[in-house]
Amino acid sequence: MSVRELEPSDVRHVDQFLPLSRLSEQTGKASTYLVAWDGRDPIGHVHIAWTETHLGVPELQDVFVAAERRREGVASLLTRAAEARVRARGWETISLSVSQEGNQPARRLYAKLGYVEAATDPVRVSGPIVIRGQPLEVDDTLVYLLKRL
């Protein structure tokens, strides 16, 4: 497996296998998508938001691994690659959010990787949001986590 930045020439191929939910936000210096590959097969991705984040530090978003490739270390590989990218840009801290009640596997993974709860209140997200032009109804409470790099 390898991880590299999503290139414009890869978007059509990757989009057939993975939901690039924040692709419209990829605006040069504002964000980066990293894609995990197994040969020519895209198997996961992570979006790094560099600006306008909840905690004011780079934020991992949209971590996704293809269902058939979960529990193989892909999310850990992607997270570590994103951390290295953030560190290389001179940042000392990285953040992400997880569901307060749901997605316990993600909570366990991030705890194992050294993320701790930020000293901030959980954030409720409720109502319709638009992802790549498609409406999605959400109702969740997010907890923000931080990691010192």
Side-chain angles (χ1 to χ4, degrees):
M1 288 186 283
S2 64
V3 176
R4 63 181 165 85
E5 191 169 332
L6 178 67
E7 299 291 333
S9 59
D10 292 328
V11 170
R12 179 176 283 164
H13 179 67
V14 172
D15 204 27
Q16 294 175 44
F17 300 94
L18 305 173
L20 296 168
S21 301
R22 297 183 187 267
L23 185 62
S24 61
E25 296 175 25
Q26 181 128 346
T27 55
K29 295 179 181 177
S31 67
T32 303
Y33 251 116
L34 300 179
V35 178
W37 298 85
D38 186 0
R40 283 203 25 82
D41 297 329
I43 57 174
H45 62 58
V46 60
H47 178 260
I48 307 168
W50 297 102
T51 62
E52 300 180 24
T53 63
H54 186 73
L55 299 179
V57 298
E59 183 177 304
L60 301 185
Q61 302 171 339
D62 199 22
V63 178
F64 180 85
V65 176
E68 66 277 8
R69 299 305 299 263
R70 293 181 183 153
R71 312 244 356 120
E72 294 179 17
V74 179
S76 294
L77 179 71
L78 284 163
T79 302
R80 288 186 181 110
E83 291 169 357
R85 183 70 56 102
V86 169
R87 192 179 309 105
R89 286 204 187 182
W91 289 90
E92 296 178 354
T93 307
I94 191 169
S95 68
L96 56 84
S97 65
V98 292
S99 176
Q100 186 175 34
E101 300 298 324
N103 204 352
Q104 290 306 309
R107 298 278 308 253
R108 286 190 298 274
L109 169 68
Y110 296 126
K112 181 179 161 186
L113 293 174
Y115 288 80
V116 296
E117 282 197 35
T120 185
D121 292 333
V123 175
R124 176 113 191 262
V125 180
S126 180
I129 61 172
V130 177
I131 296 181
R132 292 188 72 196
Q134 300 298 316
L136 177 68
E137 192 70 31
V138 296
D139 186 10
D140 201 1
T141 300
L142 303 177
V143 174
Y144 281 85
L145 306 178
L146 285 171
K147 180 177 180 179
R148 188 118 172 105
L149 300 174

